[in-house]
Amino acid sequence: MSKKSRDKGARFERTVAQWFCDAGFTARRGASQCRDGSDAPDVVVSLPLWVEVKTRAKVGGVIPSALEQAESATDGKTPIAVVKGDRQDPIVAMRWATFIKLIRSGLSEPRQ
C-alpha cells in the first residue's frame, strides 16, 4: 500500500472518530494499528462497537471484506464497517442479524 493510500485511510479514520465525537460519544483513532487490523479497531469509540474503516475510489467490493475483517478481529463488540468512496457519502455496514439485535435492544416501535 502506498504512503498516499495509508495517509488517506488515516485521515478518514480521524474523520470517523470526529463524527462519533460530534454525535456526543468519546472516540479516537485506534492507536495500535497493525497491518492485518487484528490489534485494535480503526476507531475506538465509547460504544460496544468494533469499527473498521475503509476508503477507496470504489467501495462495492470492499464492503464485505471490511465487515469480515471487523468480525474476525472483534473482541466481543458489535462489528461494523464504515466505508466511503471518493466523492460519496459514507456507508455503515453490518449483518442483518446484528442490525435486528441492535434495534431490538435500543429502539421501540412508534406509538400510533
Side-chain angles (χ1 to χ4, degrees), residues 6-67:
R6 283 190 306 274
D7 291 348
K8 179 180 178 180
R11 275 192 311 274
F12 188 51
E13 289 168 359
R14 286 189 294 272
T15 298
V16 171
Q18 186 60 53
W19 290 341
F20 276 111
C21 291
D22 292 347
F25 304 100
T26 302
R28 62 174 171 75
R29 183 170 178 248
S32 55
Q33 298 291 306
C34 71
R35 289 198 179 264
D36 68 1
S38 62
D39 202 30
D42 290 337
V43 174
V44 178
V45 62
S46 61
L47 293 166
L49 300 174
W50 185 280
V51 182
E52 186 65 33
V53 176
K54 301 288 182 198
T55 182
R56 301 279 194 283
K58 296 182 180 179
V59 297
V62 77
I63 294 171
S65 63
L67 187 54

Side-chain angles (χ1 to χ4, degrees), residues 57-90:
K58 296 182 180 179
V59 297
V62 77
I63 294 171
S65 63
L67 187 54
E68 288 168 8
Q69 184 176 351
E71 290 170 338
S72 67
T74 187
D75 58 1
K77 296 177 181 170
T78 301
I80 67 169
V82 180
V83 295
K84 183 183 176 312
D86 290 350
R87 295 174 295 285
Q88 295 179 347
D89 290 333

